[in-house]
Amino acid sequence: MGDAEPLVRWDWIGRNWPDIQGLLVDHVIMAILPVLLGLLVALPLGLASARWRVLYQPTVSLMNVVYSLPSLAVFIVLIPLTGLANRATVIIPLTFYSLAVLIPAVVDGLGSVPAHVSQSAVAMGFGPMRRLIQVDLPIAVPVVLAGLRVATVSSISLVSVGALIGRGGLGYLFIDGWQRQFSTPILVGIVLVVVLAVLADGLLVLAQRLLTPWARARRTA
Amino acid sequence: MITFEGVTKRFGDGTVAVDNLNLQVPTGAVTVFVGPSGCGKTTSLRMINRMIDPTEGRILLDGEDIRKIDPPALRRGIGYVIQAAGLFPHRKIVDNVATVPYLLGWDKKKARARAMELMERVGLDTKLAERYPFQLSGGQQQRVGVARALAADPPVLLMDEPFSAVDPVVRTSLQDELLRLQAELQKTIVFVTHDIDEAIKLGDTVAVMRVGGRLAQIDDPPTLLAEPADDFVEGFLGKDRGIRRLSFVPAGGLAVRSEQGIPGWSVVLDDDRRPLGWRAEGGRPSEGNGYDSPAKEGDPLEGPVLNGTRPERPPAGEARTRAAAAGLQPFGTVDLNKDSLRAALDAALLAPSGCAIAVDGEGRFTGIVTREALDAALARATGPADG
């Protein structure tokens, strides 16, 4: 960085805004899709684990092993299968990371249904499927949403690593700025990633308040 | 009618929860299963709606073996109330109450209208309808539990220690409420409790069970109190059986003297002929003010505090203060048309004169029940040849 170089060059942002917007959209897609896919897979796996408790520990252990793998290593392993700089190369491992958070969330959520509530549901004459959909799952929502918040925020931050294999959304700005010893793109990247994370989290909190007024009120009671 | 025929429940670990249970739960009456923990009372209850299936024997509901009925269908026809109320935290009160109607496929409007009706019936403010369960007190939640159990008008109601988690005052009011509801609805109720007093208060029939799931005795409460089958039942019934039994003897048979006093004592009444207290006569000092003030018939409002205007029915505490200030002695009343011999005896024991004051439904003086009259009634109630 030169002596006269300001920390942020606004004109650069203005000139490159269309490119930055493209990276932002790419980042959002690669961050959110794994969480949605993860939720889709975690629901049946979580239900199965809650129903047959023997499945729970092996599933969670496996997911924790996956979680412990360095993301970069997984990206590189996937390149021959899905291609360099391809969205899928980033989305697939991030889906597994989401699962590691969401499966326990689903299981814990179902576990948060008080025994006397499930029992009275049975005694009222709910069949198993109806009980799951009308009683167990709605009561699990606050815990599942809490897991969803963690998964979403970590997914948004992890996408950036994909920049090392050529597909990292806003992460590209970090590499670009670092290689050129130019701080503006780095700062723009950081600010946008943080704004994105805060925004997504805020939306989930809002969803939680709208979906589960009974749970919010319970906390303040 | 629910019939247990040789019902045994053995759990996987070999524990016998219920051992060869044979009994009948009559239609339209309250049958209480009572016993210490581990006596199998809750297991027995849960076998009625197939939450648990017996290992041996069978249970008949109006003659039909319940194993032939699909569990969800069976359960929708049997109301169920448990200790923690078991309300659905994510559903509003009105929707909690309407649970079974929804399950039975009623349309939402009809189900909710029915729920509102039931909320009123169990003494809940319908303003609570749109609240969530956590916003209600324990007693209110328990009322919602009862309303929910009654929503689809099931002929049978199972209640598993429904009132044991609330404080004694609320519990008493819930019990009274249940008795009032039962007088209206005449459901077949099976009620489980570990509290023998609750069992005796609520049960038309009480089944005492002992650890190991054996039936120790099944009888109506007065018989149970008078003739416990063995030491276990006697111990479980606890002390004061004799006094408690008097609760089941109506006071109606008592001889009443219509005079307003006995030698040495007179009853002071207010304008409405409601008793205010006893007054000592013939030189016995009264405590309140230390001087003797014989009562004058026909002028009961004599005295500085009792004169002047006063509300129709002053609060009990206020009346008591006033009576004490006027030198009156405490008293107890009994309504012969409604109360028990136990209430009459209690009323007599409250008064230094040793007599109970008989009143009508409005609380107006109708006469005096003397010790002698009580003695005669007690002798009749406890005598061997009493029908």
Side-chain angles (χ1 to χ4, degrees):
Chain A
M1 285 181 211
D3 291 337
E5 189 69 25
L7 196 61
V8 177
R9 277 179 49 181
W10 298 98
D11 60 316
W12 181 89
I13 298 175
R15 265 183 285 113
N16 291 281
W17 188 240
D19 288 344
I20 295 172
Q21 263 184 318
L23 292 172
L24 185 65
V25 170
D26 209 32
H27 196 105
V28 170
I29 292 170
M30 286 190 294
I32 301 304
L33 219 52
V35 179
L36 292 180
L37 288 172
L39 186 63
L40 226 55
V41 178
L43 273 175
L45 284 180
L47 286 173
S49 302
R51 173 74 183 74
W52 298 284
R53 294 300 295 195
V54 282
L55 289 179
Y56 182 55
Q57 270 317 318
T59 313
V60 169
S61 300
L62 183 71
M63 285 303 141
N64 282 342
V65 170
V66 172
Y67 200 70
S68 72
L69 298 175
S71 50
L72 186 56
V74 181
F75 291 152
I76 288 164
V77 169
L78 277 173
I79 288 172
L81 299 169
T82 52
L84 187 69
N86 189 320
R87 268 189 198 149
T89 315
V90 176
I91 288 173
I92 291 170
L94 289 192
T95 302
F96 279 97
Y97 292 149
S98 296
L99 278 180
V101 176
L102 291 175
I103 291 176
V106 171
V107 175
D108 292 346
L110 292 170
S112 76
V113 181
H116 63 93
V117 172
S118 335
Q119 247 172 39
S120 74
V122 172
M124 295 289 125
F126 278 85
M129 201 58 195
R130 203 156 177 171
R131 195 183 108 203
L132 178 69
I133 290 167
Q134 296 187 358
V135 179
D136 294 349
L137 283 177
I139 295 176
V141 164
V143 178
V144 174
L145 274 178
L148 212 56
R149 286 172 64 187
V150 175
T152 304
V153 170
S154 72
S155 183
I156 287 172
S157 108
L158 274 171
V159 166
S160 318
V161 182
L164 293 173
I165 56 152
R167 198 69 191 244
L170 295 166
Y172 168 78
L173 295 174
F174 304 148
I175 304 235
D176 182 44
W178 181 72
Q179 282 172 342
R180 294 196 281 144
Q181 294 292 295
F182 177 34
S183 63
T184 302
I186 297 177
L187 283 169
V188 168
I190 290 173
V191 167
L192 286 180
V193 167
V194 169
V195 166
L196 207 55
V198 169
L199 210 65
D201 196 50
L203 282 174
L204 283 170
V205 170
L206 193 70
Q208 181 163 5
R209 298 211 159 184
L210 293 176
L211 284 173
T212 62
W214 53 273
R216 172 175 44 145
R218 179 166 51 182
R219 276 196 300 274
T220 57
Chain B
M1 170 107 82
I2 302 165
T3 312
F4 283 73
E5 283 185 357
V7 172
T8 293
K9 177 64 195 181
R10 211 171 289 115
F11 284 111
D13 60 358
T15 325
V16 177
V18 177
D19 189 3
N20 190 27
L21 185 64
N22 289 287
L23 62 81
Q24 288 185 336
V25 173
T27 303
V30 181
T31 302
V32 181
F33 292 173
V34 65
S37 48
C39 72
K41 53 191 190 295
T42 294
T43 306
S44 302
L45 182 89
R46 290 186 179 175
M47 288 194 283
I48 297 171
N49 68 353
R50 298 198 59 192
M51 303 267 285
I52 298 172
D53 278 326
T55 320
E56 284 163 37
R58 55 181 198 154
I59 297 171
L60 308 176
L61 181 60
D62 294 327
E64 193 184 2
D65 190 336
I66 58 167
R67 266 174 306 185
K68 296 199 178 106
I69 311 172
D70 174 49
L74 174 75
R75 290 168 191 155
R76 286 170 203 175
I78 299 179
Y80 190 78
V81 187
I82 56 174
Q83 186 184 342
L87 301 182
F88 301 134
H90 61 300
R91 288 191 172 178
K92 290 176 178 170
I93 297 305
V94 61
D95 295 318
N96 260 289
V97 176
T99 300
V100 182
Y102 288 153
L103 286 173
L104 291 171
W106 295 21
D107 74 61
K108 195 164 180 173
K109 213 171 150 190
K110 187 181 161 207
R112 285 189 145 220
R114 170 74 179 155
M116 295 302 249
E117 184 193 323
L118 271 159
M119 284 181 67
E120 275 177 22
R121 194 147 212 181
V122 300
L124 277 169
D125 190 339
T126 47
K127 280 187 217 131
L128 300 175
E130 299 295 317
R131 302 232 180 128
Y132 288 101
F134 78 91
Q135 292 168 304
L136 271 56
S137 71
Q140 287 171 326
Q141 290 191 24
Q142 213 45 258
R143 280 172 202 266
V144 176
V146 173
R148 181 176 66 171
L150 290 169
D153 203 20
V156 178
L157 208 56
L158 307 181
M159 308 185 82
D160 188 0
E161 307 218 13
F163 308 145
S164 58
V166 292
D167 69 65
V169 175
V170 174
R171 188 180 314 142
T172 304
S173 87
L174 287 169
Q175 289 167 344
D176 293 342
E177 193 81 12
L178 179 66
L179 288 173
R180 188 186 58 73
L181 270 175
Q182 172 64 356
E184 272 174 43
L185 305 173
Q186 297 180 5
K187 301 287 181 191
T188 303
I189 298 181
V190 183
F191 191 106
V192 162
T193 180
H194 59 259
D195 177 354
I196 185 69
D197 291 320
E198 185 168 63
I200 284 171
K201 177 173 179 182
L202 299 178
D204 295 307
T205 308
V206 175
V208 183
M209 298 176 73
R210 69 171 94 234
V211 178
R214 285 220 167 97
L215 183 63
Q217 184 173 4
I218 177 164
D219 262 312
D220 57 70
T223 311
L224 198 67
L225 286 167
E227 301 157 29
D230 56 24
D231 290 350
F232 167 76
V233 177
E234 189 178 335
F236 194 71
L237 284 166
K239 291 182 177 162
D240 311 327
R241 279 193 292 121
I243 292 276
R244 282 150 71 198
R245 211 186 121 216
L246 295 180
S247 303
F248 297 97
V249 182
L254 285 166
V256 178
R257 287 170 55 144
S258 55
E259 300 95 89
Q260 216 175 301
I262 55 164
W265 292 94
S266 65
V267 178
V268 180
L269 304 176
D270 70 4
D271 288 343
D272 283 330
R273 295 191 57 78
R274 293 195 176 95
L276 291 167
W278 288 95
R279 177 164 290 164
E281 288 177 334
R284 292 174 68 171
S286 52
E287 280 168 19
N289 50 14
Y291 67 88
D292 210 14
S293 59
K296 289 180 192 164
E297 288 288 335
D299 186 16
L301 286 183
E302 174 206 58
V305 188
L306 293 177
N307 274 328
T309 55
R310 51 184 205 85
E312 194 63 37
R313 297 198 78 168
E318 192 188 324
R320 203 176 299 132
T321 315
R322 200 193 332 247
L328 298 176
Q329 297 290 324
F331 67 101
T333 61
V334 55
D335 179 350
L336 297 191
N337 294 318
K338 203 176 72 191
D339 289 336
S340 65
L341 197 49
R342 182 179 179 170
L345 183 60
D346 187 63
L349 293 174
L350 282 173
S353 65
C355 299
I357 301 175
V359 293
D360 62 13
E362 304 286 301
R364 293 195 181 84
F365 178 87
T366 57
I368 289 172
V369 178
T370 61
R371 271 274 162 82
E372 291 72 27
L374 275 168
D375 273 348
L378 288 171
R380 274 199 307 278
T382 51
D386 181 43

